[in-house]
Amino acid sequence: MRLPRPPDWLVYSGVVFALVLFSLGRRENADAPPAPPPPDASEGALLGPITPFDPSVTVTAPDLSFRPTAGTAFSIAGQGRWLTARHVVEGCRRPALVVGGGRAVAADVRLSPRADIALLITAGGPPALPVTTITPLHVGQRAFHPGFPQGAPGEVTSLLLGRETLKVRGRGARDEPVLAWAEVGRTRGMEGTLAGLSGAPALDRRGRVVALTIAEAPRRGRIYTTAPDTLGPAIRGEQRPDEQLLGEPITIENYGRVSDDLRRDLRVAQVVCLAA
């Protein structure tokens, strides 16, 4: 018994369909990855570059001998590289990082000549916090500042206001571009000054360091940090580009717990000046 021959149009259609499937299977796949999630509704315009018209704030650095102080530092490389604020360790003969149990690890210091930034060097250290100086910043975006305000564990959250110029007069006179942030939350029960938070990282929601905390204006409720223009040169060549992000996003609900974890792991540590 012979099967009926299929019509020619069906044979040709099947051949064409097979050729189309074959060509599609060999086509290059150059699709872009999914778009990033949209920013918070509170985020505003993209932060622009430095201009001569940026608002300015003037501070006077006392021309006095060094007074022992304490601040915050954070790891930027596991082989023992840390950042803190320059004014925390400038003039200190024996800076050290507190590692718990009444113990501290001595550190060498390299001061940035143009910014309130200092690089601390120790013999080894904890995993780094990834630093980004190329990610666009937006007015209204949130930052988290874990550290040691008033010499005790604590943290602050803030919203970006914009650029300003810090005019330092007196010892180490300079004009330094900075970012101004509005403080919108802090450790429950903590009142008064944020002294001791200098040198703390300013983290975005993904746990990346976007700035370094350097000053506050308590009456105005403002926090000042470095700008990408000064932070980038200060860390050049000190951090690998593939440092791991934190395991979870930072939110206003969990930033206290995340800050505690960073301090416990010594990725954020207290800086002190030991007696000579």
Side-chain angles (χ1 to χ4, degrees):
M1 179 178 177
R2 299 181 60 185
L3 296 175
R5 179 182 176 183
D8 292 344
W9 65 268
L10 185 59
V11 174
Y12 295 144
S13 297
V15 172
V16 171
F17 183 69
L19 290 174
V20 170
L21 289 179
F22 177 76
S23 63
L24 289 176
R26 294 178 59 85
R27 186 180 63 177
E28 179 182 3
N29 182 5
D31 294 342
D40 287 341
S42 60
E43 291 188 12
L46 186 69
L47 192 69
I50 300 172
T51 76
F53 307 105
D54 291 337
S56 64
V57 57
T58 301
V59 298
T60 301
D63 192 14
L64 301 172
S65 59
F66 176 76
R67 295 179 179 178
T69 184
T72 302
F74 59 94
S75 173
I76 62 167
Q79 65 266 32
R81 298 294 186 271
W82 313 71
L83 286 188
T84 189
R86 171 177 168 166
H87 70 265
V88 170
V89 294
E90 188 173 17
C92 175
R93 294 183 179 180
R94 296 184 62 196
L97 294 159
V98 178
V99 296
R103 297 176 298 136
V105 175
D108 294 327
V109 179
R110 295 178 186 170
L111 302 178
S112 172
R114 300 182 182 85
D116 195 354
I117 302 173
L119 177 70
L120 304 181
I121 303 173
T122 60
L129 286 173
V131 181
T132 176
T133 58
I134 60 174
T135 301
L137 300 176
H138 292 80
V139 174
Q141 82 172 65
R142 186 177 298 275
F144 304 93
H145 311 251
F148 294 86
Q150 303 177 25
E155 51 278 330
V156 173
T157 183
S158 63
L159 298 177
L160 180 58
L161 296 174
R163 287 185 177 273
E164 292 193 14
T165 299
L166 189 68
K167 295 182 176 293
V168 180
R169 299 296 175 256
R171 183 165 54 92
R174 66 187 183 278
D175 289 353
E176 179 179 346
V178 296
L179 302 180
W181 307 73
E183 181 190 334
V184 293
R186 58 168 61 189
T187 305
R188 186 172 301 168
M190 182 176 67
E191 299 180 357
T193 179
L194 296 177
L197 196 65
S198 291
L203 304 172
D204 67 8
R205 292 176 300 170
R206 298 178 61 189
R208 300 175 298 184
V209 179
V210 297
L212 183 149
T213 309
I214 58 176
E216 66 166 331
R219 294 185 179 181
R220 304 176 69 187
R222 290 191 178 184
I223 297 171
Y224 295 100
T225 71
T226 58
D229 317 83
T230 53
L231 184 57
I235 66 166
R236 187 169 294 131
E238 298 294 346
Q239 184 176 82
R240 302 180 323 189
D242 59 346
E243 294 291 353
Q244 295 295 314
L245 297 174
L246 300 184
E248 60 179 323
I250 311 177
T251 67
I252 56 174
E253 287 80 20
N254 71 5
Y255 78 97
R257 175 173 56 80
V258 172
S259 298
D260 287 338
D261 290 342
L262 292 175
R263 286 186 289 259
R264 187 178 303 111
D265 295 340
L266 292 179
R267 298 172 81 175
V268 173
Q270 187 176 28
V271 184
V272 295
C273 184
L274 301 178

